Each structure stands twice: as C-alpha cells, then as structure tokens.
Amino acid sequence: MSDDLTIDGNGAAGLLQEVFPFEMTTVRATCDGCGASGALGALPVYEHAPGTVIRCPHCDAVQVRVVRDAGRYWIELRGVRCLEIRA
C-alpha cells in the first residue's frame, strides 16, 4: 500500500540511527501478524501519524512506532516477532 503519506523505510533511517548503534535499514524484521520478513529500509513508513509508524507491506500491521519529544524516545516493537541484525 502506498499513498502520499507513505515513504519507504529509508525515510526513517535518521530517526532509527539516533536510537540504535547500527544501520537499521538493513535489519530484517519479521512481522508478528503474518510472518513476512523484510529489511526495515523497504517497509512503508508513515511520518504523519502520532510519531513515526512502520507497517508490514503484506498485512498492513504496525510493526514499529517511534515517538520523539524533548530528548526522549518511546519505541514500540509490538508488531515485530524478531529483528535480525547482522554483525
């Protein structure tokens, strides 16, 4: 699903890099809803939601939510079964 409010996961790279010490666009996320797996850099991102929302392109489930305010971050990974990070 793509529309004017959607960018690819690379658009969230800067925000994710502020929080995580490795290249997050290449990290593979497995959706807890449907089991699909893909690089975060390829997933649809909605920046006009409350915070930044990354969704599964297969079932549209929310995988990651990040809200940033006044030097604090709230990160929800409820929709991710696992993250695969290669060293």
Side-chain angles (χ1 to χ4, degrees), residues 29-59:
T30 300
C31 178
D32 195 47
C34 71
S37 180
L40 283 178
L43 303 181
V45 173
Y46 297 82
E47 292 186 310
H48 301 288
T52 299
V53 175
I54 301 173
R55 292 183 172 273
C56 175
H58 301 283
C59 72

Side-chain angles (χ1 to χ4, degrees), residues 5 7 12-13 20 29 34 37-38 49-50 55 62 64 67 69 72 78:
L5 299 178
I7 58 175
F20 297 100
C34 71
S37 180
R55 292 183 172 273
V62 173
V64 179
V67 176
D69 180 51
R72 296 181 297 177
R78 183 181 313 187

Side-chain angles (χ1 to χ4, degrees), residues 11-87:
L15 175 62
L16 294 172
Q17 192 64 45
E18 291 176 25
V19 179
F20 297 100
F22 34 80
E23 179 55 52
M24 288 299 289
T25 60
T26 61
V27 169
R28 293 188 66 80
T30 300
C31 178
D32 195 47
C34 71
S37 180
L40 283 178
L43 303 181
V45 173
Y46 297 82
E47 292 186 310
H48 301 288
T52 299
V53 175
I54 301 173
R55 292 183 172 273
C56 175
H58 301 283
C59 72
D60 204 37
V62 173
Q63 290 194 309
V64 179
R65 283 190 191 114
V66 181
V67 176
R68 173 180 54 188
D69 180 51
R72 296 181 297 177
Y73 297 88
W74 291 267
I75 302 167
E76 179 187 325
L77 298 168
R78 183 181 313 187
V80 176
R81 186 176 300 163
C82 68
L83 291 175
E84 177 186 340
I85 303 164
R86 295 189 180 197

